[in-house]
Amino acid sequence: MDGFNLAYALNPGTWEDVIEYLVPVLQRRGVYPQKAEHGTLRARMFGQGDRLPASHRGSGYRHL
């Protein structure tokens, strides 16, 4: 996956700086979403809903 892997150096000030300074620049460049996307990560990545298909062996664990 493309993306950023950011780790904090000073908490919480580092995240506040990222949100205040970095995110707006990335949004202007079109590489960071302007608003939250709807749905689960699974649905957004694979486009097949937010649950495993019934044929998947892991789907039997969804009611545990």
Side-chain angles (χ1 to χ4, degrees), residues 31-48:
V31 294
Y32 193 91
Q34 294 285 335
K35 59 182 180 176
E37 297 178 25
H38 295 286
T40 63
L41 178 60
R42 174 185 300 281
R44 291 193 316 264
M45 288 181 65
F46 303 113
Q48 299 174 359

Side-chain angles (χ1 to χ4, degrees), residues 4-47:
F4 295 95
N5 185 6
L6 302 173
Y8 65 89
L10 301 172
N11 196 16
T14 301
W15 294 117
E16 292 168 355
D17 289 344
V18 167
I19 293 166
E20 186 175 347
Y21 300 110
L22 180 60
V23 169
V25 172
L26 295 175
Q27 288 175 332
R28 283 194 300 270
R29 294 181 183 185
V31 294
Y32 193 91
Q34 294 285 335
K35 59 182 180 176
E37 297 178 25
H38 295 286
T40 63
L41 178 60
R42 174 185 300 281
R44 291 193 316 264
M45 288 181 65
F46 303 113

